[in-house]
Amino acid sequence: MNPRDPGAPVGPEFLVIQLARFGDLIQTKRLVASLSAQGRVHLLVDRSLTDLARLVYPGVTVHGLAAHGTHGPDILPRVHDDLEAVAGTLFHRVYNLNFSGMNFALAAMFPAHSVRGYRQEAGQRLMDAWPAHVMRWTRSRCPAMAGRSRCSGY
């Protein structure tokens, strides 16, 4: 069901993988809104952000994953359980928004042609053009950032 129009056909299903911090989750809003207008959106976030994501994105199916701060022998069964619903859904497109080993592994769960952002193809880590443009625009917004992760004054 389309949350904006309950009588409308379901349309395609989209997955947005956003395992980064709170600010990155908020900055994902424009993408989620655009996709919601086209179909059903699923959002995969770190388990610590699931409640917040449900508040920020009503009508979006939020999945939590033990991505950060979880260690020890129970991690594999926990991740398996977290990903069960995601793995059982056929997504039209998957938007992988973070450059990390876990994100690349998650992207490999889906056909490479359906993944946008950061993906693996034939064992090679690839990045679509738009994440590179975003990073370039961010650097040019704050020329003093050279070599630093944060821009002073922001």
Side-chain angles (χ1 to χ4, degrees), residues 30 66 116 139:
R30 184 170 291 186
R116 297 294 180 264
R139 278 192 302 272

Side-chain angles (χ1 to χ4, degrees), residues 58-112:
V60 169
T61 303
V62 176
H63 304 275
L65 174 66
H68 304 290
T70 305
H71 308 285
D74 70 332
I75 187 65
L76 289 178
R78 189 178 282 187
V79 168
H80 178 271
D81 293 346
D82 289 346
L83 293 175
E84 193 169 14
V86 172
T89 305
L90 180 62
F91 294 105
H92 174 70
R93 261 308 163 256
V94 176
Y95 294 86
N96 187 17
L97 303 182
N98 305 107
F99 184 92
S100 74
M102 180 174 275
N103 279 81
F104 280 108
L106 289 168
M109 292 174 49
F110 307 99

